[in-house]
Amino acid sequence: MSWPFELYTPPDDVGEDDLATMFGEVRSFLATLAAAAPGSTEIEALTADLRAWRERLAPYLTDDEEAPYGQLNLDHEHGLASLPESTIESESAGSVDATVTFSRWHLGGGGTVHGGQVAMALDAMMGHSQIVGGWIARTAYLNVSYLAGTPYGRPLRLEVRTTSSTGRKHQLSGRLLDDATLLAEAEALFIRVARYPGAPDGTSAGLPEAG
C-alpha cells in the first residue's frame, strides 16, 4: 500500500460493487466449506475447482497498490473477506454500534469463535470509528479480555467508544455482547497518522451513511 495513503481506484471496466460482491462470495464460500462434510468424490472435485480458480487468477497477480482486496472504499469492510459479516447500526466520530455474525470458518477450540477472530473484529470496528471522523489511525496496542465463549451463526452486538483523546492519541474501548451476556471487552490506543483522503474536517470520510 502506498504512503501517503490514497484511495483505491478500480479500472474503468471494473465496478467496485462487483469486487465487493465477489469478496462477499469468498466469505460465504468459506463459511459453507467450514460447515460442510463432503464425501471423497466431492472433495476431489472441489479441490480441482479451487486449483483451477487459483491458476485462473495467477496471470492477474499484481502489487499492493493495484490489488483491490482490503482497499475498497465502498463500505466499512473494505472488501476484507477475512472479517465476519457486519452491519453498522449507528456511527459517529470515535463511536460505532454494529452487529457482527461469525461463521464456523472463524471457529477456535471448544466450539466457539477463535479469540484472534474476536480481537480482529474489535480492532476493525475501532479503526472504522476513526475513519468515520475522517482519520487514518494505527493500532498502537489492543488488550482484549475474554469473558465468555463467543458463539457463531447469530448476530452479536459490538460497541466502540472513545474514552479519552490527547492530540493524535485516542483511547478506545470496545465490547462484544450476545444479548445481555458480555463476551469480550477491549481497550486500545489508536494513533491518528493522516486525514482520510477526501474527508474534510467534520465529515464521515466519504463512506456511505449507516442505514
Side-chain angles (χ1 to χ4, degrees), residues 55-88:
E55 292 171 352
R56 184 174 179 178
L57 285 170
Y60 301 97
L61 294 176
T62 186
D63 55 27
D64 284 350
E65 287 78 9
E66 300 300 323
Y69 184 76
Q71 299 195 77
L72 301 186
N73 191 46
L74 186 65
D75 60 27
H76 63 282
E77 294 176 350
H78 305 288
L80 287 170
S82 54
L83 291 173
E85 183 178 354
S86 62
T87 301
I88 302 294

PDB file of all heavy atoms in Angstrom, residues 55-88:
ATOM      1  N   GLU A  55      -5.220 -20.959 -10.545  1.00  0.00           N
ATOM      2  CA  GLU A  55      -4.448 -20.830 -11.777  1.00  0.00           C
ATOM      3  C   GLU A  55      -5.040 -19.772 -12.701  1.00  0.00           C
ATOM      4  O   GLU A  55      -4.311 -19.070 -13.417  1.00  0.00           O
ATOM      5  CB  GLU A  55      -4.384 -22.185 -12.474  1.00  0.00           C
ATOM      6  CG  GLU A  55      -3.558 -23.214 -11.700  1.00  0.00           C
ATOM      7  CD  GLU A  55      -3.666 -24.620 -12.277  1.00  0.00           C
ATOM      8  OE1 GLU A  55      -4.505 -24.836 -13.194  1.00  0.00           O
ATOM      9  OE2 GLU A  55      -2.915 -25.507 -11.819  1.00  0.00           O
ATOM     10  N   ARG A  56      -6.370 -19.618 -12.663  1.00  0.00           N
ATOM     11  CA  ARG A  56      -7.029 -18.602 -13.483  1.00  0.00           C
ATOM     12  C   ARG A  56      -6.653 -17.195 -13.026  1.00  0.00           C
ATOM     13  O   ARG A  56      -6.543 -16.268 -13.838  1.00  0.00           O
ATOM     14  CB  ARG A  56      -8.538 -18.799 -13.412  1.00  0.00           C
ATOM     15  CG  ARG A  56      -9.353 -17.863 -14.301  1.00  0.00           C
ATOM     16  CD  ARG A  56     -10.821 -18.242 -14.263  1.00  0.00           C
ATOM     17  NE  ARG A  56     -11.635 -17.359 -15.069  1.00  0.00           N
ATOM     18  CZ  ARG A  56     -12.950 -17.509 -15.234  1.00  0.00           C
ATOM     19  NH1 ARG A  56     -13.580 -18.523 -14.626  1.00  0.00           N
ATOM     20  NH2 ARG A  56     -13.628 -16.664 -15.988  1.00  0.00           N
ATOM     21  N   LEU A  57      -6.452 -17.028 -11.724  1.00  0.00           N
ATOM     22  CA  LEU A  57      -6.093 -15.718 -11.181  1.00  0.00           C
ATOM     23  C   LEU A  57      -4.611 -15.393 -11.324  1.00  0.00           C
ATOM     24  O   LEU A  57      -4.225 -14.217 -11.271  1.00  0.00           O
ATOM     25  CB  LEU A  57      -6.479 -15.649  -9.700  1.00  0.00           C
ATOM     26  CG  LEU A  57      -7.959 -15.483  -9.382  1.00  0.00           C
ATOM     27  CD1 LEU A  57      -8.195 -15.686  -7.886  1.00  0.00           C
ATOM     28  CD2 LEU A  57      -8.467 -14.118  -9.817  1.00  0.00           C
ATOM     29  N   ALA A  58      -3.774 -16.404 -11.485  1.00  0.00           N
ATOM     30  CA  ALA A  58      -2.324 -16.210 -11.489  1.00  0.00           C
ATOM     31  C   ALA A  58      -1.849 -15.136 -12.474  1.00  0.00           C
ATOM     32  O   ALA A  58      -0.986 -14.322 -12.121  1.00  0.00           O
ATOM     33  CB  ALA A  58      -1.623 -17.538 -11.767  1.00  0.00           C
ATOM     34  N   PRO A  59      -2.405 -15.052 -13.689  1.00  0.00           N
ATOM     35  CA  PRO A  59      -1.919 -14.006 -14.613  1.00  0.00           C
ATOM     36  C   PRO A  59      -2.241 -12.586 -14.151  1.00  0.00           C
ATOM     37  O   PRO A  59      -1.684 -11.620 -14.692  1.00  0.00           O
ATOM     38  CB  PRO A  59      -2.666 -14.330 -15.920  1.00  0.00           C
ATOM     39  CG  PRO A  59      -3.077 -15.757 -15.806  1.00  0.00           C
ATOM     40  CD  PRO A  59      -3.357 -15.958 -14.345  1.00  0.00           C
ATOM     41  N   TYR A  60      -3.128 -12.453 -13.162  1.00  0.00           N
ATOM     42  CA  TYR A  60      -3.549 -11.129 -12.717  1.00  0.00           C
ATOM     43  C   TYR A  60      -2.881 -10.695 -11.414  1.00  0.00           C
ATOM     44  O   TYR A  60      -3.242  -9.654 -10.855  1.00  0.00           O
ATOM     45  CB  TYR A  60      -5.073 -11.100 -12.545  1.00  0.00           C
ATOM     46  CG  TYR A  60      -5.818 -11.429 -13.816  1.00  0.00           C
ATOM     47  CD1 TYR A  60      -6.279 -12.723 -14.041  1.00  0.00           C
ATOM     48  CD2 TYR A  60      -6.042 -10.465 -14.795  1.00  0.00           C
ATOM     49  CE1 TYR A  60      -6.949 -13.045 -15.218  1.00  0.00           C
ATOM     50  CE2 TYR A  60      -6.713 -10.774 -15.960  1.00  0.00           C
ATOM     51  CZ  TYR A  60      -7.167 -12.065 -16.169  1.00  0.00           C
ATOM     52  OH  TYR A  60      -7.828 -12.376 -17.328  1.00  0.00           O
ATOM     53  N   LEU A  61      -1.928 -11.465 -10.919  1.00  0.00           N
ATOM     54  CA  LEU A  61      -1.216 -11.073  -9.711  1.00  0.00           C
ATOM     55  C   LEU A  61      -0.525  -9.730  -9.939  1.00  0.00           C
ATOM     56  O   LEU A  61       0.069  -9.484 -10.988  1.00  0.00           O
ATOM     57  CB  LEU A  61      -0.197 -12.138  -9.319  1.00  0.00           C
ATOM     58  CG  LEU A  61      -0.763 -13.494  -8.892  1.00  0.00           C
ATOM     59  CD1 LEU A  61       0.357 -14.484  -8.614  1.00  0.00           C
ATOM     60  CD2 LEU A  61      -1.653 -13.351  -7.668  1.00  0.00           C
ATOM     61  N   THR A  62      -0.593  -8.855  -8.931  1.00  0.00           N
ATOM     62  CA  THR A  62      -0.069  -7.506  -9.100  1.00  0.00           C
ATOM     63  C   THR A  62       0.507  -7.009  -7.780  1.00  0.00           C
ATOM     64  O   THR A  62       0.583  -7.770  -6.797  1.00  0.00           O
ATOM     65  CB  THR A  62      -1.192  -6.571  -9.606  1.00  0.00           C
ATOM     66  OG1 THR A  62      -0.645  -5.289  -9.894  1.00  0.00           O
ATOM     67  CG2 THR A  62      -2.310  -6.444  -8.578  1.00  0.00           C
ATOM     68  N   ASP A  63       0.904  -5.757  -7.731  1.00  0.00           N
ATOM     69  CA  ASP A  63       1.483  -5.219  -6.498  1.00  0.00           C
ATOM     70  C   ASP A  63       0.376  -4.725  -5.577  1.00  0.00           C
ATOM     71  O   ASP A  63      -0.803  -4.694  -5.930  1.00  0.00           O
ATOM     72  CB  ASP A  63       2.501  -4.115  -6.794  1.00  0.00           C
ATOM     73  CG  ASP A  63       1.915  -2.997  -7.650  1.00  0.00           C
ATOM     74  OD1 ASP A  63       0.682  -2.789  -7.593  1.00  0.00           O
ATOM     75  OD2 ASP A  63       2.686  -2.330  -8.359  1.00  0.00           O
ATOM     76  N   ASP A  64       0.769  -4.318  -4.377  1.00  0.00           N
ATOM     77  CA  ASP A  64      -0.203  -3.946  -3.351  1.00  0.00           C
ATOM     78  C   ASP A  64      -1.114  -2.805  -3.790  1.00  0.00           C
ATOM     79  O   ASP A  64      -2.311  -2.806  -3.507  1.00  0.00           O
ATOM     80  CB  ASP A  64       0.511  -3.544  -2.057  1.00  0.00           C
ATOM     81  CG  ASP A  64       1.038  -4.741  -1.287  1.00  0.00           C
ATOM     82  OD1 ASP A  64       0.678  -5.875  -1.656  1.00  0.00           O
ATOM     83  OD2 ASP A  64       1.801  -4.539  -0.331  1.00  0.00           O
ATOM     84  N   GLU A  65      -0.552  -1.813  -4.472  1.00  0.00           N
ATOM     85  CA  GLU A  65      -1.339  -0.643  -4.832  1.00  0.00           C
ATOM     86  C   GLU A  65      -2.454  -0.982  -5.813  1.00  0.00           C
ATOM     87  O   GLU A  65      -3.507  -0.337  -5.818  1.00  0.00           O
ATOM     88  CB  GLU A  65      -0.446   0.451  -5.430  1.00  0.00           C
ATOM     89  CG  GLU A  65       0.437   1.164  -4.429  1.00  0.00           C
ATOM     90  CD  GLU A  65       1.660   0.355  -4.025  1.00  0.00           C
ATOM     91  OE1 GLU A  65       1.905  -0.695  -4.662  1.00  0.00           O
ATOM     92  OE2 GLU A  65       2.357   0.764  -3.080  1.00  0.00           O
ATOM     93  N   GLU A  66      -2.253  -2.001  -6.631  1.00  0.00           N
ATOM     94  CA  GLU A  66      -3.228  -2.338  -7.669  1.00  0.00           C
ATOM     95  C   GLU A  66      -4.188  -3.437  -7.261  1.00  0.00           C
ATOM     96  O   GLU A  66      -5.190  -3.667  -7.949  1.00  0.00           O
ATOM     97  CB  GLU A  66      -2.475  -2.751  -8.949  1.00  0.00           C
ATOM     98  CG  GLU A  66      -1.565  -1.676  -9.511  1.00  0.00           C
ATOM     99  CD  GLU A  66      -2.318  -0.411  -9.873  1.00  0.00           C
ATOM    100  OE1 GLU A  66      -3.461  -0.527 -10.361  1.00  0.00           O
ATOM    101  OE2 GLU A  66      -1.771   0.695  -9.668  1.00  0.00           O
ATOM    102  N   ALA A  67      -3.911  -4.145  -6.172  1.00  0.00           N
ATOM    103  CA  ALA A  67      -4.786  -5.230  -5.729  1.00  0.00           C
ATOM    104  C   ALA A  67      -5.927  -4.650  -4.892  1.00  0.00           C
ATOM    105  O   ALA A  67      -5.688  -3.988  -3.884  1.00  0.00           O
ATOM    106  CB  ALA A  67      -4.001  -6.256  -4.921  1.00  0.00           C
ATOM    107  N   PRO A  68      -7.186  -4.885  -5.263  1.00  0.00           N
ATOM    108  CA  PRO A  68      -8.301  -4.231  -4.574  1.00  0.00           C
ATOM    109  C   PRO A  68      -8.639  -4.795  -3.203  1.00  0.00           C
ATOM    110  O   PRO A  68      -9.287  -4.115  -2.408  1.00  0.00           O
ATOM    111  CB  PRO A  68      -9.469  -4.444  -5.545  1.00  0.00           C
ATOM    112  CG  PRO A  68      -9.126  -5.687  -6.296  1.00  0.00           C
ATOM    113  CD  PRO A  68      -7.643  -5.648  -6.444  1.00  0.00           C
ATOM    114  N   TYR A  69      -8.206  -6.023  -2.907  1.00  0.00           N
ATOM    115  CA  TYR A  69      -8.591  -6.641  -1.638  1.00  0.00           C
ATOM    116  C   TYR A  69      -8.137  -5.786  -0.461  1.00  0.00           C
ATOM    117  O   TYR A  69      -6.980  -5.422  -0.334  1.00  0.00           O
ATOM    118  CB  TYR A  69      -7.989  -8.038  -1.522  1.00  0.00           C
ATOM    119  CG  TYR A  69      -8.413  -8.780  -0.269  1.00  0.00           C
ATOM    120  CD1 TYR A  69      -9.677  -9.328  -0.177  1.00  0.00           C
ATOM    121  CD2 TYR A  69      -7.551  -8.912   0.809  1.00  0.00           C
ATOM    122  CE1 TYR A  69     -10.082  -9.998   0.960  1.00  0.00           C
ATOM    123  CE2 TYR A  69      -7.941  -9.575   1.950  1.00  0.00           C
ATOM    124  CZ  TYR A  69      -9.211 -10.125   2.025  1.00  0.00           C
ATOM    125  OH  TYR A  69      -9.611 -10.780   3.170  1.00  0.00           O
ATOM    126  N   GLY A  70      -9.098  -5.438   0.410  1.00  0.00           N
ATOM    127  CA  GLY A  70      -8.785  -4.636   1.593  1.00  0.00           C
ATOM    128  C   GLY A  70      -8.668  -3.148   1.333  1.00  0.00           C
ATOM    129  O   GLY A  70      -8.365  -2.383   2.256  1.00  0.00           O
ATOM    130  N   GLN A  71      -8.913  -2.720   0.087  1.00  0.00           N
ATOM    131  CA  GLN A  71      -8.753  -1.305  -0.247  1.00  0.00           C
ATOM    132  C   GLN A  71     -10.024  -0.669  -0.815  1.00  0.00           C
ATOM    133  O   GLN A  71      -9.983   0.459  -1.292  1.00  0.00           O
ATOM    134  CB  GLN A  71      -7.613  -1.124  -1.257  1.00  0.00           C
ATOM    135  CG  GLN A  71      -6.255  -1.591  -0.757  1.00  0.00           C
ATOM    136  CD  GLN A  71      -5.132  -1.070  -1.626  1.00  0.00           C
ATOM    137  OE1 GLN A  71      -4.761   0.101  -1.536  1.00  0.00           O
ATOM    138  NE2 GLN A  71      -4.592  -1.913  -2.478  1.00  0.00           N
ATOM    139  N   LEU A  72     -11.130  -1.392  -0.766  1.00  0.00           N
ATOM    140  CA  LEU A  72     -12.366  -0.824  -1.292  1.00  0.00           C
ATOM    141  C   LEU A  72     -12.880   0.269  -0.361  1.00  0.00           C
ATOM    142  O   LEU A  72     -12.837   0.138   0.859  1.00  0.00           O
ATOM    143  CB  LEU A  72     -13.429  -1.910  -1.456  1.00  0.00           C
ATOM    144  CG  LEU A  72     -13.083  -3.087  -2.377  1.00  0.00           C
ATOM    145  CD1 LEU A  72     -14.295  -3.997  -2.533  1.00  0.00           C
ATOM    146  CD2 LEU A  72     -12.589  -2.605  -3.730  1.00  0.00           C
ATOM    147  N   ASN A  73     -13.389   1.333  -0.948  1.00  0.00           N
ATOM    148  CA  ASN A  73     -13.945   2.430  -0.164  1.00  0.00           C
ATOM    149  C   ASN A  73     -15.467   2.386  -0.150  1.00  0.00           C
ATOM    150  O   ASN A  73     -16.118   3.297   0.343  1.00  0.00           O
ATOM    151  CB  ASN A  73     -13.476   3.776  -0.726  1.00  0.00           C
ATOM    152  CG  ASN A  73     -13.800   4.932   0.197  1.00  0.00           C
ATOM    153  OD1 ASN A  73     -13.569   4.867   1.404  1.00  0.00           O
ATOM    154  ND2 ASN A  73     -14.350   5.999  -0.365  1.00  0.00           N
ATOM    155  N   LEU A  74     -16.024   1.289  -0.662  1.00  0.00           N
ATOM    156  CA  LEU A  74     -17.470   1.195  -0.816  1.00  0.00           C
ATOM    157  C   LEU A  74     -18.191   1.112   0.521  1.00  0.00           C
ATOM    158  O   LEU A  74     -19.261   1.670   0.703  1.00  0.00           O
ATOM    159  CB  LEU A  74     -17.808  -0.030  -1.667  1.00  0.00           C
ATOM    160  CG  LEU A  74     -19.262  -0.222  -2.067  1.00  0.00           C
ATOM    161  CD1 LEU A  74     -19.710   0.896  -2.993  1.00  0.00           C
ATOM    162  CD2 LEU A  74     -19.452  -1.583  -2.747  1.00  0.00           C
ATOM    163  N   ASP A  75     -17.617   0.371   1.479  1.00  0.00           N
ATOM    164  CA  ASP A  75     -18.247   0.232   2.789  1.00  0.00           C
ATOM    165  C   ASP A  75     -17.184   0.049   3.860  1.00  0.00           C
ATOM    166  O   ASP A  75     -15.982   0.101   3.590  1.00  0.00           O
ATOM    167  CB  ASP A  75     -19.255  -0.923   2.811  1.00  0.00           C
ATOM    168  CG  ASP A  75     -18.617  -2.264   2.486  1.00  0.00           C
ATOM    169  OD1 ASP A  75     -17.392  -2.434   2.736  1.00  0.00           O
ATOM    170  OD2 ASP A  75     -19.305  -3.152   1.979  1.00  0.00           O
ATOM    171  N   HIS A  76     -17.630  -0.182   5.091  1.00  0.00           N
ATOM    172  CA  HIS A  76     -16.714  -0.211   6.228  1.00  0.00           C
ATOM    173  C   HIS A  76     -15.807  -1.433   6.250  1.00  0.00           C
ATOM    174  O   HIS A  76     -14.806  -1.442   6.960  1.00  0.00           O
ATOM    175  CB  HIS A  76     -17.518  -0.159   7.533  1.00  0.00           C
ATOM    176  CG  HIS A  76     -18.416  -1.344   7.733  1.00  0.00           C
ATOM    177  ND1 HIS A  76     -19.631  -1.471   7.081  1.00  0.00           N
ATOM    178  CD2 HIS A  76     -18.281  -2.452   8.492  1.00  0.00           C
ATOM    179  CE1 HIS A  76     -20.201  -2.604   7.438  1.00  0.00           C
ATOM    180  NE2 HIS A  76     -19.410  -3.213   8.297  1.00  0.00           N
ATOM    181  N   GLU A  77     -16.135  -2.489   5.484  1.00  0.00           N
ATOM    182  CA  GLU A  77     -15.324  -3.705   5.495  1.00  0.00           C
ATOM    183  C   GLU A  77     -14.175  -3.654   4.490  1.00  0.00           C
ATOM    184  O   GLU A  77     -13.270  -4.486   4.534  1.00  0.00           O
ATOM    185  CB  GLU A  77     -16.200  -4.924   5.222  1.00  0.00           C
ATOM    186  CG  GLU A  77     -17.223  -5.187   6.325  1.00  0.00           C
ATOM    187  CD  GLU A  77     -18.148  -6.345   6.002  1.00  0.00           C
ATOM    188  OE1 GLU A  77     -18.115  -6.822   4.848  1.00  0.00           O
ATOM    189  OE2 GLU A  77     -18.900  -6.767   6.888  1.00  0.00           O
ATOM    190  N   HIS A  78     -14.221  -2.717   3.559  1.00  0.00           N
ATOM    191  CA  HIS A  78     -13.167  -2.525   2.557  1.00  0.00           C
ATOM    192  C   HIS A  78     -12.896  -3.786   1.736  1.00  0.00           C
ATOM    193  O   HIS A  78     -11.792  -3.973   1.234  1.00  0.00           O
ATOM    194  CB  HIS A  78     -11.869  -2.042   3.221  1.00  0.00           C
ATOM    195  CG  HIS A  78     -12.051  -0.805   4.040  1.00  0.00           C
ATOM    196  ND1 HIS A  78     -12.272   0.443   3.478  1.00  0.00           N
ATOM    197  CD2 HIS A  78     -12.098  -0.619   5.391  1.00  0.00           C
ATOM    198  CE1 HIS A  78     -12.428   1.335   4.436  1.00  0.00           C
ATOM    199  NE2 HIS A  78     -12.338   0.730   5.596  1.00  0.00           N
ATOM    200  N   GLY A  79     -13.892  -4.666   1.643  1.00  0.00           N
ATOM    201  CA  GLY A  79     -13.721  -5.889   0.866  1.00  0.00           C
ATOM    202  C   GLY A  79     -12.948  -6.984   1.566  1.00  0.00           C
ATOM    203  O   GLY A  79     -12.523  -7.948   0.927  1.00  0.00           O
ATOM    204  N   LEU A  80     -12.753  -6.885   2.869  1.00  0.00           N
ATOM    205  CA  LEU A  80     -11.978  -7.885   3.616  1.00  0.00           C
ATOM    206  C   LEU A  80     -12.863  -9.092   3.938  1.00  0.00           C
ATOM    207  O   LEU A  80     -13.641  -9.079   4.890  1.00  0.00           O
ATOM    208  CB  LEU A  80     -11.418  -7.275   4.906  1.00  0.00           C
ATOM    209  CG  LEU A  80     -10.261  -6.298   4.715  1.00  0.00           C
ATOM    210  CD1 LEU A  80      -9.948  -5.584   6.022  1.00  0.00           C
ATOM    211  CD2 LEU A  80      -9.024  -7.028   4.207  1.00  0.00           C
ATOM    212  N   ALA A  81     -12.707 -10.143   3.163  1.00  0.00           N
ATOM    213  CA  ALA A  81     -13.491 -11.358   3.369  1.00  0.00           C
ATOM    214  C   ALA A  81     -13.098 -12.091   4.641  1.00  0.00           C
ATOM    215  O   ALA A  81     -13.830 -12.955   5.118  1.00  0.00           O
ATOM    216  CB  ALA A  81     -13.338 -12.294   2.171  1.00  0.00           C
ATOM    217  N   SER A  82     -11.932 -11.752   5.204  1.00  0.00           N
ATOM    218  CA  SER A  82     -11.485 -12.394   6.445  1.00  0.00           C
ATOM    219  C   SER A  82     -12.281 -11.921   7.657  1.00  0.00           C
ATOM    220  O   SER A  82     -12.320 -12.608   8.689  1.00  0.00           O
ATOM    221  CB  SER A  82      -9.997 -12.113   6.673  1.00  0.00           C
ATOM    222  OG  SER A  82      -9.737 -10.714   6.641  1.00  0.00           O
ATOM    223  N   LEU A  83     -12.913 -10.753   7.556  1.00  0.00           N
ATOM    224  CA  LEU A  83     -13.711 -10.235   8.664  1.00  0.00           C
ATOM    225  C   LEU A  83     -15.068 -10.934   8.717  1.00  0.00           C
ATOM    226  O   LEU A  83     -15.586 -11.369   7.684  1.00  0.00           O
ATOM    227  CB  LEU A  83     -13.930  -8.737   8.502  1.00  0.00           C
ATOM    228  CG  LEU A  83     -12.719  -7.828   8.664  1.00  0.00           C
ATOM    229  CD1 LEU A  83     -13.092  -6.399   8.291  1.00  0.00           C
ATOM    230  CD2 LEU A  83     -12.188  -7.884  10.087  1.00  0.00           C
ATOM    231  N   PRO A  84     -15.662 -11.022   9.906  1.00  0.00           N
ATOM    232  CA  PRO A  84     -17.026 -11.548   9.974  1.00  0.00           C
ATOM    233  C   PRO A  84     -17.992 -10.574   9.314  1.00  0.00           C
ATOM    234  O   PRO A  84     -17.726  -9.372   9.226  1.00  0.00           O
ATOM    235  CB  PRO A  84     -17.287 -11.655  11.482  1.00  0.00           C
ATOM    236  CG  PRO A  84     -16.392 -10.637  12.096  1.00  0.00           C
ATOM    237  CD  PRO A  84     -15.156 -10.641  11.240  1.00  0.00           C
ATOM    238  N   GLU A  85     -19.109 -11.095   8.858  1.00  0.00           N
ATOM    239  CA  GLU A  85     -20.137 -10.233   8.282  1.00  0.00           C
ATOM    240  C   GLU A  85     -20.614  -9.241   9.338  1.00  0.00           C
ATOM    241  O   GLU A  85     -20.821  -9.616  10.496  1.00  0.00           O
ATOM    242  CB  GLU A  85     -21.306 -11.085   7.791  1.00  0.00           C
ATOM    243  CG  GLU A  85     -22.407 -10.310   7.116  1.00  0.00           C
ATOM    244  CD  GLU A  85     -23.515 -11.202   6.617  1.00  0.00           C
ATOM    245  OE1 GLU A  85     -23.358 -12.446   6.707  1.00  0.00           O
ATOM    246  OE2 GLU A  85     -24.537 -10.668   6.146  1.00  0.00           O
ATOM    247  N   SER A  86     -20.780  -7.987   8.948  1.00  0.00           N
ATOM    248  CA  SER A  86     -21.156  -6.973   9.936  1.00  0.00           C
ATOM    249  C   SER A  86     -22.057  -5.919   9.316  1.00  0.00           C
ATOM    250  O   SER A  86     -22.037  -5.683   8.105  1.00  0.00           O
ATOM    251  CB  SER A  86     -19.914  -6.303  10.538  1.00  0.00           C
ATOM    252  OG  SER A  86     -19.172  -5.626   9.539  1.00  0.00           O
ATOM    253  N   THR A  87     -22.843  -5.285  10.176  1.00  0.00           N
ATOM    254  CA  THR A  87     -23.735  -4.202   9.778  1.00  0.00           C
ATOM    255  C   THR A  87     -23.580  -3.060  10.774  1.00  0.00           C
ATOM    256  O   THR A  87     -23.638  -3.289  11.989  1.00  0.00           O
ATOM    257  CB  THR A  87     -25.205  -4.662   9.759  1.00  0.00           C
ATOM    258  OG1 THR A  87     -25.351  -5.750   8.845  1.00  0.00           O
ATOM    259  CG2 THR A  87     -26.127  -3.524   9.348  1.00  0.00           C
ATOM    260  N   ILE A  88     -23.358  -1.863  10.275  1.00  0.00           N
ATOM    261  CA  ILE A  88     -23.278  -0.690  11.133  1.00  0.00           C
ATOM    262  C   ILE A  88     -24.687  -0.230  11.472  1.00  0.00           C
ATOM    263  O   ILE A  88     -25.493   0.056  10.588  1.00  0.00           O
ATOM    264  CB  ILE A  88     -22.509   0.456  10.446  1.00  0.00           C
ATOM    265  CG1 ILE A  88     -21.094   0.016  10.048  1.00  0.00           C
ATOM    266  CG2 ILE A  88     -22.455   1.685  11.356  1.00  0.00           C
ATOM    267  CD1 ILE A  88     -20.185  -0.292  11.201  1.00  0.00           C
TER     268      ILE A  88
END
